[in-house]
Amino acid sequence: MSDVCIVGIGIHKFGRTDGLSGLDQGVHAVREAMADAGIDWPQVQFAYGSSDAAGNPDTMVDRLGLTGVQFINVRNGCAAGGSALFSAQMAIKSGEFDLGLAVGFDKHPRGAFNALPAEYNLPDWYGEVGQMVTTQFFAAKIMRYMSLFGISQKSLGLVAEKAFRNAVHAPHAWRRQPVALEEILEAPLVSDPYTKYMFCSPAEGGVALILASAKKARELGKPLIRLKAATMRTRPPHSFEVFAPSVDVVADDTRPRPTASRIASADAFTASGIGPGDIDVAQLQDTEAGAEIMHMAENGFCADGEQEQWLAEGRTEIGGALPVNTDGGCLACGEPIGASGLRQVYENVVQLRGDGGGRQVPGDPRTAYSHVYGAPGVSAVTILER
Protein backbone atom coordinates (compact mmCIF):
# COMPACT_ATOMS: atom_id res chain seq x y z
CA MET A 1 0.00 0.00 0.00
CA SER A 2 1.18 3.52 -0.80
CA ASP A 3 2.25 5.86 1.97
CA VAL A 4 -0.13 8.77 2.43
CA CYS A 5 1.15 12.31 2.94
CA ILE A 6 -0.57 15.58 3.83
CA VAL A 7 0.57 18.12 1.23
CA GLY A 8 -1.85 21.00 1.80
CA ILE A 9 -3.78 22.48 4.72
CA GLY A 10 -6.41 25.18 4.94
CA ILE A 11 -8.64 26.58 7.66
CA HIS A 12 -11.40 29.11 8.17
CA LYS A 13 -11.31 30.78 11.58
CA PHE A 14 -13.49 29.08 14.18
CA GLY A 15 -16.10 30.87 16.28
CA ARG A 16 -18.95 32.97 14.90
CA THR A 17 -18.87 34.42 11.38
CA ASP A 18 -22.04 36.31 10.58
CA GLY A 19 -22.91 36.51 6.91
CA LEU A 20 -21.07 33.34 5.90
CA SER A 21 -22.61 29.88 5.71
CA GLY A 22 -20.83 26.76 6.86
CA LEU A 23 -20.37 25.85 3.21
CA ASP A 24 -18.73 29.23 2.54
CA GLN A 25 -16.24 28.49 5.30
CA GLY A 26 -15.55 25.02 3.93
CA VAL A 27 -14.90 26.40 0.44
CA HIS A 28 -12.52 28.99 1.93
CA ALA A 29 -10.58 26.19 3.63
CA VAL A 30 -10.42 24.10 0.45
CA ARG A 31 -9.07 26.98 -1.62
CA GLU A 32 -6.48 27.74 1.04
CA ALA A 33 -5.42 24.07 1.17
CA MET A 34 -5.12 23.85 -2.63
CA ALA A 35 -2.98 27.00 -2.68
CA ASP A 36 -0.80 25.50 0.05
CA ALA A 37 -0.38 22.30 -1.98
CA GLY A 38 0.19 24.17 -5.23
CA ILE A 39 -2.70 22.51 -7.08
CA ASP A 40 -5.96 23.46 -8.77
CA TRP A 41 -9.41 21.92 -8.29
CA PRO A 42 -9.37 19.83 -11.54
CA GLN A 43 -6.36 17.92 -10.14
CA VAL A 44 -8.37 16.68 -7.12
CA GLN A 45 -9.40 13.10 -7.89
CA PHE A 46 -11.78 12.48 -4.98
CA ALA A 47 -13.13 14.09 -1.82
CA TYR A 48 -14.67 13.10 1.49
CA GLY A 49 -16.60 15.83 3.29
CA SER A 50 -18.07 16.03 6.79
CA SER A 51 -20.81 18.26 8.17
CA ASP A 52 -23.44 17.75 10.85
CA ALA A 53 -25.67 20.81 10.64
CA ALA A 54 -24.59 22.94 7.68
CA GLY A 55 -25.62 20.97 4.62
CA ASN A 56 -24.10 18.41 2.28
CA PRO A 57 -20.38 18.97 1.61
CA ASP A 58 -20.58 17.65 -1.96
CA THR A 59 -22.61 20.71 -2.95
CA MET A 60 -19.44 22.81 -2.72
CA VAL A 61 -18.62 21.66 -6.26
CA ASP A 62 -20.96 24.47 -7.36
CA ARG A 63 -18.29 26.86 -6.07
CA LEU A 64 -15.12 24.89 -6.76
CA GLY A 65 -15.95 23.52 -10.22
CA LEU A 66 -18.15 20.93 -11.88
CA THR A 67 -15.40 18.48 -12.75
CA GLY A 68 -17.39 15.31 -12.05
CA VAL A 69 -15.12 14.51 -9.08
CA GLN A 70 -16.10 11.64 -6.77
CA PHE A 71 -17.34 13.36 -3.58
CA ILE A 72 -18.69 11.36 -0.64
CA ASN A 73 -20.41 12.88 2.40
CA VAL A 74 -19.62 11.63 5.93
CA ARG A 75 -21.72 12.13 9.06
CA ASN A 76 -20.44 10.47 12.23
CA GLY A 77 -21.01 12.68 15.26
CA CYS A 78 -18.01 14.55 16.65
CA ALA A 79 -15.76 11.99 14.92
CA ALA A 80 -17.08 13.03 11.48
CA GLY A 81 -13.92 14.88 10.45
CA GLY A 82 -11.68 12.06 11.62
CA SER A 83 -13.89 9.58 9.76
CA ALA A 84 -13.62 11.64 6.56
CA LEU A 85 -9.83 11.63 6.87
CA PHE A 86 -9.79 7.89 7.57
CA SER A 87 -11.81 7.26 4.42
CA ALA A 88 -9.67 9.59 2.30
CA GLN A 89 -6.39 7.98 3.28
CA MET A 90 -7.80 4.53 2.53
CA ALA A 91 -8.64 5.66 -1.02
CA ILE A 92 -4.98 6.51 -1.60
CA LYS A 93 -3.65 3.44 0.18
CA SER A 94 -5.76 1.28 -2.12
CA GLY A 95 -3.81 2.58 -5.11
CA GLU A 96 -6.99 3.81 -6.80
CA PHE A 97 -6.08 7.50 -6.41
CA ASP A 98 -3.00 9.57 -5.63
CA LEU A 99 -4.44 13.01 -4.81
CA GLY A 100 -7.57 13.80 -2.83
CA LEU A 101 -9.34 15.98 -0.28
CA ALA A 102 -10.74 15.64 3.24
CA VAL A 103 -12.87 18.64 4.21
CA GLY A 104 -15.15 19.44 7.11
CA PHE A 105 -17.27 22.42 8.09
CA ASP A 106 -20.21 23.35 10.27
CA LYS A 107 -22.30 26.26 11.48
CA HIS A 108 -24.20 25.46 14.65
CA PRO A 109 -26.82 27.74 16.16
CA ARG A 110 -26.13 29.30 19.54
CA GLY A 111 -26.94 27.16 22.56
CA ALA A 112 -26.41 23.49 23.29
CA PHE A 113 -26.28 20.80 20.62
CA ASN A 114 -29.80 19.60 19.88
CA ALA A 115 -29.36 15.83 19.75
CA LEU A 116 -32.52 13.79 19.15
CA PRO A 117 -33.15 10.50 21.01
CA ALA A 118 -34.37 8.69 17.88
CA GLU A 119 -31.00 9.25 16.20
CA TYR A 120 -29.40 7.12 18.91
CA ASN A 121 -32.08 4.42 19.16
CA LEU A 122 -33.38 5.89 22.41
CA PRO A 123 -37.04 6.48 23.39
CA ASP A 124 -38.52 9.98 23.27
CA TRP A 125 -38.91 10.10 27.06
CA TYR A 126 -35.13 9.99 27.41
CA GLY A 127 -34.93 13.43 25.84
CA GLU A 128 -38.09 14.72 27.51
CA VAL A 129 -36.53 14.28 30.98
CA GLY A 130 -33.36 16.10 29.88
CA GLN A 131 -30.96 13.23 29.43
CA MET A 132 -29.96 14.31 25.91
CA VAL A 133 -28.32 17.45 27.33
CA THR A 134 -24.68 16.46 27.02
CA THR A 135 -23.43 18.75 29.76
CA GLN A 136 -25.23 16.55 32.30
CA PHE A 137 -23.76 13.34 30.96
CA PHE A 138 -20.22 14.74 30.82
CA ALA A 139 -20.55 16.00 34.39
CA ALA A 140 -21.81 12.64 35.64
CA LYS A 141 -19.01 10.80 33.85
CA ILE A 142 -16.22 13.00 35.24
CA MET A 143 -17.66 12.92 38.77
CA ARG A 144 -17.48 9.15 38.66
CA TYR A 145 -13.93 9.27 37.26
CA MET A 146 -12.77 11.81 39.85
CA SER A 147 -14.10 9.60 42.64
CA LEU A 148 -12.42 6.48 41.26
CA PHE A 149 -9.02 7.97 40.48
CA GLY A 150 -8.52 10.97 42.77
CA ILE A 151 -8.79 13.80 40.25
CA SER A 152 -9.50 17.25 41.73
CA GLN A 153 -11.59 20.08 40.34
CA LYS A 154 -8.39 22.14 40.28
CA SER A 155 -7.04 19.80 37.61
CA LEU A 156 -10.12 20.50 35.50
CA GLY A 157 -9.32 24.18 35.89
CA LEU A 158 -5.69 23.67 34.89
CA VAL A 159 -6.80 22.06 31.62
CA ALA A 160 -9.05 25.02 30.81
CA GLU A 161 -6.43 27.57 31.85
CA LYS A 162 -3.89 25.93 29.52
CA ALA A 163 -6.37 25.90 26.63
CA PHE A 164 -7.06 29.64 26.74
CA ARG A 165 -3.38 30.44 27.24
CA ASN A 166 -2.36 28.38 24.19
CA ALA A 167 -5.11 29.87 22.03
CA VAL A 168 -3.65 33.37 22.42
CA HIS A 169 -1.14 32.33 19.75
CA ALA A 170 -3.59 30.47 17.45
CA PRO A 171 -5.10 32.82 14.82
CA HIS A 172 -7.87 30.32 14.00
CA ALA A 173 -9.07 29.97 17.62
CA TRP A 174 -12.31 31.54 18.82
CA ARG A 175 -11.47 32.53 22.41
CA ARG A 176 -7.96 33.97 22.50
CA GLN A 177 -7.89 35.69 25.88
CA PRO A 178 -6.17 34.00 28.85
CA VAL A 179 -8.38 33.27 31.85
CA ALA A 180 -6.90 32.96 35.33
CA LEU A 181 -7.28 29.67 37.17
CA GLU A 182 -9.11 31.34 40.06
CA GLU A 183 -11.67 32.86 37.70
CA ILE A 184 -12.21 29.50 36.00
CA LEU A 185 -12.80 27.71 39.29
CA GLU A 186 -15.06 30.39 40.76
CA ALA A 187 -17.19 30.88 37.64
CA PRO A 188 -20.86 29.81 37.67
CA LEU A 189 -21.44 26.07 37.59
CA VAL A 190 -23.10 24.62 34.50
CA SER A 191 -23.18 21.00 35.67
CA ASP A 192 -21.23 20.17 38.81
CA PRO A 193 -18.17 20.02 38.84
CA TYR A 194 -17.91 21.95 35.56
CA THR A 195 -18.00 25.75 35.49
CA LYS A 196 -18.82 27.68 32.33
CA TYR A 197 -15.14 27.85 31.30
CA MET A 198 -14.76 24.06 31.35
CA PHE A 199 -17.05 23.33 28.39
CA CYS A 200 -16.53 24.01 24.72
CA SER A 201 -19.30 25.66 22.70
CA PRO A 202 -20.96 24.71 19.41
CA ALA A 203 -19.22 26.86 16.80
CA GLU A 204 -18.50 27.53 13.15
CA GLY A 205 -15.47 26.88 10.98
CA GLY A 206 -14.00 24.85 8.16
CA VAL A 207 -10.84 22.79 7.63
CA ALA A 208 -9.43 21.12 4.51
CA LEU A 209 -6.53 18.73 4.04
CA ILE A 210 -5.02 17.71 0.69
CA LEU A 211 -3.75 14.13 0.77
CA ALA A 212 -1.35 12.55 -1.70
CA SER A 213 0.65 9.40 -2.24
CA ALA A 214 4.33 9.73 -1.36
CA LYS A 215 5.18 9.64 -5.07
CA LYS A 216 2.74 12.44 -5.83
CA ALA A 217 3.98 14.48 -2.86
CA ARG A 218 7.51 14.31 -4.26
CA GLU A 219 6.24 15.41 -7.67
CA LEU A 220 4.60 18.41 -6.02
CA GLY A 221 7.84 19.19 -4.19
CA LYS A 222 6.18 19.06 -0.78
CA PRO A 223 7.82 17.98 2.52
CA LEU A 224 6.87 14.40 3.36
CA ILE A 225 4.56 14.59 6.36
CA ARG A 226 3.38 11.01 6.42
CA LEU A 227 0.12 9.74 7.81
CA LYS A 228 1.61 6.77 9.65
CA ALA A 229 -1.72 5.57 11.03
CA ALA A 230 -5.40 6.41 10.82
CA THR A 231 -7.94 4.34 12.73
CA MET A 232 -11.64 4.66 13.48
CA ARG A 233 -13.47 2.41 15.94
CA THR A 234 -16.87 2.03 17.61
CA ARG A 235 -17.64 1.18 21.24
CA PRO A 236 -17.04 -2.27 22.76
CA PRO A 237 -19.00 -3.98 25.57
CA HIS A 238 -18.97 -2.33 29.04
CA SER A 239 -17.93 1.11 27.78
CA PHE A 240 -19.69 4.17 29.23
CA GLU A 241 -20.45 6.57 26.40
CA VAL A 242 -22.45 9.68 25.53
CA PHE A 243 -26.22 9.04 25.73
CA ALA A 244 -25.67 5.65 27.39
CA PRO A 245 -28.84 5.10 29.48
CA SER A 246 -26.87 3.07 32.03
CA VAL A 247 -23.42 1.78 32.86
CA ASP A 248 -22.63 -1.94 33.06
CA VAL A 249 -21.65 -3.38 36.43
CA VAL A 250 -18.20 -4.99 36.28
CA ALA A 251 -16.25 -7.04 38.82
CA ASP A 252 -13.52 -4.40 39.35
CA ASP A 253 -14.54 -0.83 38.62
CA THR A 254 -11.01 0.52 39.21
CA ARG A 255 -9.63 -1.29 36.17
CA PRO A 256 -9.76 0.55 32.81
CA ARG A 257 -12.99 -0.01 30.94
CA PRO A 258 -12.70 -0.81 27.24
CA THR A 259 -13.64 2.16 25.04
CA ALA A 260 -13.62 3.08 21.37
CA SER A 261 -10.73 5.43 22.11
CA ARG A 262 -8.62 2.70 23.73
CA ILE A 263 -9.18 0.41 20.75
CA ALA A 264 -8.50 3.09 18.12
CA SER A 265 -5.40 4.27 19.97
CA ALA A 266 -3.90 0.81 20.44
CA ASP A 267 -4.52 -0.05 16.79
CA ALA A 268 -2.95 3.22 15.64
CA PHE A 269 0.19 2.63 17.65
CA THR A 270 0.44 -0.91 16.28
CA ALA A 271 -0.04 0.29 12.69
CA SER A 272 2.53 3.08 13.02
CA GLY A 273 5.16 0.97 14.77
CA ILE A 274 5.71 3.61 17.45
CA GLY A 275 4.50 3.96 21.02
CA PRO A 276 3.03 6.68 23.25
CA GLY A 277 6.49 7.64 24.49
CA ASP A 278 7.54 8.47 20.94
CA ILE A 279 4.88 11.17 20.42
CA ASP A 280 6.13 14.78 20.46
CA VAL A 281 2.78 16.63 20.38
CA ALA A 282 -0.84 15.52 20.82
CA GLN A 283 -4.32 16.88 20.21
CA LEU A 284 -6.94 15.12 22.36
CA GLN A 285 -10.72 15.52 22.29
CA ASP A 286 -11.61 18.07 24.98
CA THR A 287 -15.33 18.71 24.59
CA GLU A 288 -15.02 19.50 28.27
CA ALA A 289 -11.99 19.78 30.54
CA GLY A 290 -12.43 16.32 32.00
CA ALA A 291 -12.43 14.72 28.57
CA GLU A 292 -8.82 15.75 28.01
CA ILE A 293 -7.91 14.21 31.36
CA MET A 294 -9.68 10.91 30.69
CA HIS A 295 -8.38 10.74 27.13
CA MET A 296 -4.79 11.12 28.30
CA ALA A 297 -5.18 7.68 29.86
CA GLU A 298 -7.46 6.16 27.22
CA ASN A 299 -4.90 6.98 24.53
CA GLY A 300 -2.09 5.32 26.46
CA PHE A 301 -0.08 8.34 27.56
CA CYS A 302 -0.48 7.73 31.29
CA ALA A 303 -2.33 5.53 33.75
CA ASP A 304 -5.71 6.49 35.20
CA GLY A 305 -5.06 8.81 38.14
CA GLU A 306 -1.62 9.95 37.01
CA GLN A 307 -3.10 13.02 35.31
CA GLU A 308 -3.23 14.92 38.59
CA GLN A 309 0.57 14.85 38.84
CA TRP A 310 1.06 15.42 35.11
CA LEU A 311 -0.96 18.63 35.23
CA ALA A 312 0.60 19.85 38.46
CA GLU A 313 4.06 19.42 36.92
CA GLY A 314 3.12 21.06 33.61
CA ARG A 315 3.87 18.03 31.48
CA THR A 316 1.10 18.86 28.98
CA GLU A 317 2.19 22.48 28.50
CA ILE A 318 3.78 23.72 25.24
CA GLY A 319 7.26 23.14 26.69
CA GLY A 320 6.34 19.99 28.62
CA ALA A 321 7.09 16.35 28.00
CA LEU A 322 3.87 15.92 25.96
CA PRO A 323 2.27 19.18 24.80
CA VAL A 324 -1.49 18.62 24.52
CA ASN A 325 -3.97 20.78 22.55
CA THR A 326 -1.44 23.35 21.48
CA ASP A 327 -4.01 25.61 19.77
CA GLY A 328 -6.41 25.56 22.73
CA GLY A 329 -8.40 22.52 21.60
CA CYS A 330 -12.19 22.52 21.56
CA LEU A 331 -12.30 24.53 24.79
CA ALA A 332 -10.81 27.58 23.07
CA CYS A 333 -11.66 26.93 19.42
CA GLY A 334 -15.22 25.74 19.90
CA GLU A 335 -16.58 22.69 18.13
CA PRO A 336 -18.04 22.85 14.65
CA ILE A 337 -18.66 19.09 14.50
CA GLY A 338 -17.72 18.46 10.88
CA ALA A 339 -14.45 20.38 11.12
CA SER A 340 -13.22 19.71 14.64
CA GLY A 341 -11.31 16.47 14.09
CA LEU A 342 -9.64 17.89 10.99
CA ARG A 343 -8.61 20.99 12.97
CA GLN A 344 -6.56 18.73 15.22
CA VAL A 345 -4.67 17.31 12.23
CA TYR A 346 -4.27 20.80 10.74
CA GLU A 347 -2.65 21.91 14.00
CA ASN A 348 -0.34 18.91 14.02
CA VAL A 349 0.85 19.67 10.49
CA VAL A 350 1.54 23.27 11.56
CA GLN A 351 3.59 21.95 14.48
CA LEU A 352 5.58 19.47 12.37
CA ARG A 353 6.34 22.23 9.85
CA GLY A 354 7.60 24.45 12.67
CA ASP A 355 5.05 27.16 11.86
CA GLY A 356 3.35 27.41 15.26
CA GLY A 357 4.77 30.80 16.24
CA GLY A 358 4.10 31.54 19.89
CA ARG A 359 2.52 28.12 20.36
CA GLN A 360 5.27 26.19 18.58
CA VAL A 361 6.45 23.09 20.41
CA PRO A 362 10.22 23.34 20.97
CA GLY A 363 12.76 20.71 20.08
CA ASP A 364 11.89 20.15 16.41
CA PRO A 365 8.92 17.78 16.83
CA ARG A 366 8.79 14.86 14.40
CA THR A 367 5.69 12.92 15.50
CA ALA A 368 2.16 14.14 16.20
CA TYR A 369 -0.99 12.44 17.48
CA SER A 370 -4.65 13.38 17.17
CA HIS A 371 -7.72 11.84 18.78
CA VAL A 372 -11.36 12.71 18.26
CA TYR A 373 -14.33 11.23 20.11
CA GLY A 374 -18.05 11.51 19.55
CA ALA A 375 -21.46 10.13 20.41
CA PRO A 376 -22.57 7.42 20.84
CA GLY A 377 -19.03 6.08 21.34
CA VAL A 378 -16.99 6.48 18.15
CA SER A 379 -13.34 7.47 18.05
CA ALA A 380 -10.74 8.24 15.39
CA VAL A 381 -6.97 8.50 15.84
CA THR A 382 -4.24 9.67 13.49
CA ILE A 383 -0.45 9.64 13.85
CA LEU A 384 1.75 11.86 11.67
CA GLU A 385 5.51 11.67 11.19
CA ARG A 386 7.93 13.70 9.16
Side-chain angles (χ1 to χ4, degrees), residues 266-296:
D267 288 353
F269 283 125
T270 297
S272 66
I274 63 178
D278 300 313
I279 298 298
D280 295 324
V281 56
Q283 317 300 328
L284 303 178
Q285 180 79 13
D286 61 331
T287 314
E288 74 287 353
E292 179 177 316
I293 290 174
M294 291 183 285
H295 291 148
M296 287 167 61

Side-chain angles (χ1 to χ4, degrees), residues 35-161:
D36 185 47
I39 65 168
D40 298 316
W41 180 245
Q43 294 172 260
V44 175
Q45 299 169 335
F46 71 92
Y48 284 86
S50 58
S51 176
D52 185 77
N56 293 330
D58 67 303
T59 61
M60 66 172 55
V61 299
D62 288 340
R63 314 279 185 86
L64 297 170
L66 301 178
T67 61
V69 66
Q70 174 183 296
F71 203 129
I72 297 173
N73 297 331
V74 177
R75 189 170 185 264
N76 207 13
C78 296
S83 299
L85 177 59
F86 173 80
S87 302
Q89 59 93 29
M90 287 299 294
I92 293 177
K93 279 188 173 182
S94 73
E96 186 75 17
F97 304 102
D98 62 11
L99 188 67
L101 166 71
V103 58
F105 60 85
D106 251 313
K107 187 180 180 79
H108 300 291
R110 288 171 171 80
F113 289 118
N114 184 29
L116 301 176
E119 294 179 347
Y120 297 92
N121 295 318
L122 293 168
D124 288 343
W125 66 258
Y126 193 76
E128 292 167 357
V129 299
Q131 295 304 309
M132 296 299 289
V133 180
T134 54
T135 55
Q136 296 188 71
F137 170 82
F138 291 137
K141 186 173 183 178
I142 194 62
M143 285 288 262
R144 177 179 175 277
Y145 192 87
M146 292 166 69
S147 175
L148 286 172
F149 299 109
I151 304 298
S152 65
Q153 191 195 33
K154 180 181 178 180
S155 287
L156 302 179
L158 288 172
V159 169
E161 182 189 33

